[in-house]
Amino acid sequence: MFEGLKLTIPLRLQFLRIVITFSLVISVCLSLKLWGGYHYFPHVPVFDFKFSIVPYDAIIIGLSCVFLIASVFFKKTRTLIFLAVLLNISLVIFDLNRLQPWFYYYNVILFIFLFYNGRVDDSNKYTSIFIILQFIIASVYVYNGFSKVNSNFVIEDFVKIISPLKFFLTERQFIFISKIGTIIPYVLIFIGFGLIITPIRYLAITLGCFVHICLFVFLFPSATNQNYALWLMNIVFLVVLFILFSGKTKQRYFSPAILFQKPLFYLVMILFWILPFFNSQNKWPNNLSANYKSSNSSSLNLIINEEQHSELPLYIKFFFIKKDTLYILQYNDWCLNELKTDCYPENELFTAIYLQLAKPLPYFVKETQFIIKPKQTLFTTK
């Protein structure tokens, strides 16, 4: 019988910290333009700052990466992680586009390690941290699945994800395969709950591995798949699945009642199991709710006329498509092309895009169609 990974919980925690640390550094390198230097795609600061940290943001992310790498090799692990997470938070405050799903979850996992001193003589301490991390990862699958339960997922994002199959299948075969997308949300929800229900955990791990391997293949970097860090996240989560859930992960003398004595446990349950529920009402951000690649976020229709289009910089013109006599902005293509990542899909970004494009056009406000389309209600079929 397959028993899974045979490692003690302290060793699993040590490996997890190392994996997440280097994954974060590598992911930053895969999206460098997002973290430092000038770019035309608008910044979205949390507050209305009267100053900019560009180009010093490159120094900040560089220091963060140095602290992260040093945390693997030096004894002051928690101090170095704290400094890195603090710098990362400051970078997000100056641009919400940096609040990518992978960046959020990697930093949260590292933040949890601030409450673990590395000692192996207190099983209640390290087992509590371990279970809290399990709950965080399980919530990603549950809420990513919930966000995909809408009528647009199959015809938009799922078809786009599996589009490489068009080179190998007939049109009829491709349409048949695309219908599998209707069960994907429920598979993800099952994986999430299965990871925390011991009797079905191995099935959940198997399905999770299959999903991540497929996404790793389908989202392989190309001209149409430029979000390299999100692509890498599939391999990272595959490794995390084994570290956190495979094999014997129960401590003989651990009492679950210990969890309810930990304020950190309540904080995690609120942030990852309660607040994401309100994402469908636009009361909690998509990227903090595992809502990505779901075709279920607010979107922007920014439409200009031919005269306005002719006045725009040549680089920006490239991201408009023509429909009759009007031009429609493909803002996420713009973000992917320039920053190698998806944009922050919230109203704050849409307003920033509008103001950015209005700068060279004095009559932009009067002539522009600026429409924010709300997300769908979950579990709709029409």
Side-chain angles (χ1 to χ4, degrees):
M1 181 178 177
F2 178 68
E3 297 182 359
L5 200 62
K6 296 181 180 179
L7 287 176
T8 63
I9 289 178
L11 273 177
R12 290 171 187 262
L13 289 172
Q14 183 179 346
F15 286 145
L16 178 65
R17 179 173 58 82
I18 293 171
V19 167
I20 295 300
T21 297
F22 283 106
S23 298
L24 179 51
V25 173
I26 293 170
S27 298
V28 166
C29 293
L30 292 174
S31 53
L32 274 179
K33 200 67 181 290
L34 177 64
W35 304 103
Y38 296 96
H39 53 77
Y40 201 80
F41 193 81
H43 289 79
V44 188
V46 174
F47 306 106
D48 187 18
F49 294 109
K50 302 300 180 183
F51 60 91
S52 170
I53 61 170
V54 179
Y56 305 108
D57 48 0
I59 299 174
I60 295 174
I61 193 61
L63 278 175
S64 173
C65 289
V66 169
F67 289 146
L68 286 172
I69 294 172
S71 72
V72 176
F73 300 102
F74 296 96
K75 290 183 178 180
K76 297 291 184 179
T77 299
R78 290 194 290 177
T79 301
L80 292 166
I81 290 176
F82 173 76
L83 291 173
V85 171
L86 194 64
L87 290 176
N88 292 342
I89 291 172
S90 70
L91 287 167
V92 170
I93 289 173
F94 280 94
D95 187 3
L96 284 170
N97 282 311
R98 293 165 177 158
L99 192 58
Q100 296 295 310
W102 56 267
F103 191 70
Y104 175 57
Y105 288 108
Y106 294 168
N107 274 282
V108 163
I109 291 171
L110 291 175
F111 174 78
I112 298 299
F113 277 102
L114 296 179
F115 299 86
Y116 175 53
N117 58 12
R119 291 179 59 177
V120 298
D121 58 344
D122 187 350
S123 61
N124 285 328
K125 180 74 172 180
Y126 63 68
T127 305
S128 298
I129 295 295
F130 188 75
I131 293 174
I132 286 170
L133 290 167
Q134 286 181 321
F135 272 107
I136 292 174
I137 298 302
S139 74
V140 177
Y141 295 96
V142 170
Y143 280 105
N144 190 245
F146 274 128
S147 68
K148 289 176 166 59
V149 185
N150 65 85
S151 59
N152 287 336
F153 169 65
V154 175
I155 61 177
E156 292 182 6
D157 270 325
F158 185 71
V159 167
K160 189 182 295 184
I161 289 170
I162 65 170
S163 59
L165 292 177
K166 290 181 178 179
F167 296 104
F168 309 101
L169 302 176
T170 65
E171 184 177 353
R172 180 176 294 182
Q173 290 171 331
F174 183 80
I175 292 173
F176 175 78
I177 294 294
S178 67
K179 292 179 180 179
I180 295 176
T182 56
I183 68 169
I184 295 299
Y186 306 102
V187 170
L188 291 170
I189 294 170
F190 173 83
I191 291 170
F193 284 116
L195 290 174
I196 54 180
I197 300 174
T198 306
I200 58 174
R201 179 171 290 175
Y202 286 114
L203 179 56
I205 293 172
T206 302
L207 288 172
C209 291
F210 178 75
V211 168
H212 286 301
I213 291 170
C214 288
L215 288 173
F216 181 81
V217 173
F218 287 130
L219 297 178
F220 201 83
S222 66
T224 56
N225 293 321
Q226 299 187 66
N227 195 337
Y228 307 143
L230 190 61
W231 163 73
L232 178 66
M233 187 179 177
N234 287 289
I235 291 300
V236 175
F237 262 60
L238 192 151
V239 175
V240 169
L241 278 180
F242 278 95
I243 293 175
L244 285 180
F245 299 100
S246 178
K248 184 180 178 181
T249 59
K250 283 189 174 181
Q251 199 69 28
R252 179 179 298 178
Y253 301 109
F254 176 75
S255 171
I258 298 293
L259 279 175
F260 299 102
Q261 301 173 16
K262 305 288 184 182
L264 182 63
F265 173 73
Y266 294 100
L267 178 63
V268 165
M269 296 306 291
I270 291 170
L271 288 177
F272 294 93
W273 285 93
I274 297 176
L275 289 178
F277 180 79
F278 296 98
N279 174 252
S280 59
Q281 288 87 43
N282 283 318
K283 294 180 179 178
W284 192 245
N286 293 305
N287 287 358
L288 305 189
S289 308
N291 182 1
Y292 46 92
K293 297 293 182 183
S294 68
S295 304
N296 191 32
S297 60
S298 300
S299 59
L300 170 66
N301 269 2
L302 195 150
I303 305 171
I304 62 177
N305 58 36
E306 195 165 358
E307 184 179 1
Q308 288 175 299
H309 185 261
S310 65
E311 296 293 326
L312 288 173
L314 183 62
Y315 171 68
I316 304 302
K317 290 181 182 179
F318 179 76
F319 302 107
F320 282 84
I321 59 171
K322 188 174 184 180
K323 187 174 182 180
D324 299 326
T325 60
L326 299 175
Y327 292 83
I328 305 172
L329 176 65
Q330 306 298 295
Y331 58 91
N332 199 55
D333 290 348
W334 176 11
C335 186
L336 277 169
N337 182 272
E338 192 167 1
L339 305 182
K340 303 304 179 195
T341 189
D342 290 299
C343 65
Y344 180 72
E346 306 290 347
N347 292 358
E348 295 92 336
L349 171 71
F350 303 150
T351 301
I353 290 174
Y354 178 80
L355 295 174
Q356 178 83 335
L357 296 182
K359 289 178 182 178
L361 303 175
Y363 50 88
F364 193 87
V365 175
K366 183 178 180 181
E367 302 292 335
T368 301
Q369 297 181 48
F370 180 82
I371 305 168
I372 297 177
K373 297 170 61 178
K375 65 180 63 176
Q376 279 195 16
T377 302
L378 294 183
F379 300 99
T380 56
T381 58
K382 294 183 179 180

